[in-house]
Amino acid sequence: MKNWSLGYPSVAVLFALGSVAFAQDLDVQAISRSAATVVEPPFEIYFVPSSGFLANATFRTLSKTNGPSTIAKQLAAELRKPRAKLRTIVVAGPSDGKTKQVLLDALKLLEDEPQPNLRLVFVGNAKIASEIEPVVTVTGAEFKTAPK
């Protein structure tokens, strides 16, 4: 996981290893502004890159049939890190469907592990967020949705 400071004292961006984010896809300020409408900083952004419509659809299908992707496993490892105080992770990406799949797969990997002191913020479509919320709340984590 890469963790870059962007000059913002309360925002860190976490990238999946091997991912490539294009400038037009990754707008940290826009994601931060969206997240800030529902939570106060500090928070970290976990960016799920997009590879285009067909590649994202294939990714989701493979994740459902073959199990969690490397990106989901990396997010699960981030979520699994011990924390003594509340940690807020904003999960966002250009494709809400792919971002949803990564987040659901990561949570599935943690299904028997309670997640106290964790707040997840999904930046994206409210309908998709409503499909994620029950899975998050079962873990004991707090869930928020922010519009893109």
Side-chain angles (χ1 to χ4, degrees), residues 80-135:
R80 191 175 272 129
K81 287 182 179 176
R83 52 202 169 266
K85 61 182 183 172
L86 184 64
R87 182 178 183 201
T88 301
I89 298 179
V90 176
V91 183
S95 168
D96 288 350
K98 182 177 180 180
T99 303
K100 173 187 119 175
Q101 188 65 49
V102 167
L103 183 52
L104 290 176
D105 287 348
L107 291 167
K108 185 176 183 177
L109 290 168
L110 304 174
E111 67 186 351
D112 295 329
E113 301 173 37
Q115 297 300 312
N117 294 325
L118 178 64
R119 177 188 298 138
L120 291 172
V121 178
F122 175 78
V123 176
N125 180 286
K127 183 180 182 311
I128 290 174
S130 70
E131 299 168 21
I132 300 168
E133 185 172 17
V135 180

Side-chain angles (χ1 to χ4, degrees), residues 58-73 101-102 104-106 108-109:
T58 302
F59 174 92
R60 290 192 311 271
T61 300
L62 289 173
S63 292
K64 290 175 186 175
T65 56
N66 296 344
S69 64
T70 300
I71 296 171
K73 290 175 185 173
Q101 188 65 49
V102 167
L104 290 176
D105 287 348
K108 185 176 183 177
L109 290 168

Side-chain angles (χ1 to χ4, degrees), residues 15 31 44 114 139:
F15 286 89
I31 294 169
E44 298 162 88
T139 69

